[in-house]
Amino acid sequence: ALVGLKERLNEKNEEIRITYTSILVKALIPALKEYPLVNASIDMAAEEITKHQYYNIGVATHTEDGLVVPVIDNVDQKSLVEVAEELEQKVEAARNREIKPAALRGGTFTITNTGSHGNHGTFGTPIIRHPEAGILGVGTIKEKPIAVDGEPEIRDRINFSFSFDHRLIDGVTAGQFME
C-alpha cells in the first residue's frame, strides 16, 4: 500500500518528489497525538516530563561529514507536499554544509530511514536523540513471502524498529504506537 501510495502521489504532483520518508514523517502525527508520551521529553535536572503540543520531526540525514538531523517544525500544520518540499530543501542544505543551526534544533521525535541507502539487508537499532523519547527506524522495502488468507504470496514489506525511553514509555504503549 505504501509503494502504491507513493507512486500515485508522484503521478499527481510533478513539482516536488514525494519520498517514503516524507510520507512516513506525515503519517507519524496521528500516532504521536494518540500516544503523547512518545512526543514528550524528560528533564532529569528539573524532574519534569514535558508532553509537547507541537510535532517537530527530525530526519536523520547521511552526509559526507557524518549524521545531521534537520527538523521539520509543526508537521501537523503542513500538507504532505509542504513536508516533502521542506525535507528536500533541508536535506540538501545539510549535505551541502549550508544548513543553519536553528534548523537542527527543537525536535520532538526522529525518524531514520536506513532503507533509503542501498539495497542492503542489515538493520540496526536507532539511538534516541536526547531529550526526545523515541526514534523510528525504517528499513528497506523488499519483496517477501507472506501468508494472505492462508496462501503464500510475494508482497512488498518494510521493517520498522522503535527505540524508546523506558522512563517514559512502557512496552505496551510502544507496541500500540507501532501498530
Side-chain angles (χ1 to χ4, degrees):
L2 179 62
V3 171
L5 174 63
K6 179 182 173 289
E7 289 171 0
R8 287 189 308 277
L9 289 169
N10 279 315
E11 285 173 7
K12 289 181 181 180
N13 183 18
E14 296 177 10
E15 298 156 16
I16 188 78
R17 185 174 67 98
I18 305 296
T19 64
Y20 292 115
T21 302
S22 58
I23 293 169
L24 293 171
V25 164
K26 191 68 179 160
L28 281 169
I29 303 308
L32 292 172
K33 286 182 176 183
E34 188 171 347
Y35 299 97
L37 283 175
V38 178
N39 194 55
S41 59
I42 189 167
D43 182 337
M44 294 303 288
E47 298 181 346
E48 292 179 344
I49 295 171
T50 302
K51 292 180 184 176
H52 303 292
Q53 300 302 311
Y54 50 92
Y55 304 89
N56 296 348
I57 308 300
V59 178
T61 302
H62 171 76
T63 73
E64 289 182 13
D65 298 311
L67 178 68
V68 177
V69 184
V71 176
I72 310 299
D73 292 332
N74 302 306
V75 171
D76 60 316
Q77 298 173 22
K78 295 176 179 165
S79 70
L80 175 58
V81 170
E82 290 171 322
V83 168
E85 186 172 38
E86 185 174 342
L87 179 59
E88 184 177 288
Q89 291 168 353
K90 287 187 174 180
V91 165
E92 185 176 327
R95 290 188 176 143
N96 292 331
R97 302 179 80 185
E98 298 169 350
I99 195 160
K100 306 265 189 271
L104 304 173
R105 291 193 284 263
T108 60
F109 189 86
T110 295
I111 185 170
T112 180
N113 185 349
T114 60
S116 64
H117 296 284
N119 199 16
H120 53 78
T122 60
F123 192 72
T125 302
I127 303 298
I128 304 164
R129 286 179 9 116
H130 181 77
E132 297 170 13
I135 183 170
L136 179 71
V138 180
T140 303
I141 296 173
K142 291 186 174 190
E143 288 185 339
K144 295 182 182 176
I146 62 165
V148 177
D149 297 325
E151 297 295 322
E153 287 190 22
I154 303 296
R155 297 251 179 117
D156 287 322
R157 305 299 293 167
I158 188 170
N159 290 323
F160 295 104
S161 66
F162 177 40
S163 298
F164 55 94
D165 187 335
H166 226 303
R167 297 172 300 174
L168 293 173
I169 303 165
D170 63 22
V172 171
T173 301
Q176 291 169 333
F177 172 77
M178 288 299 290
E179 289 288 321

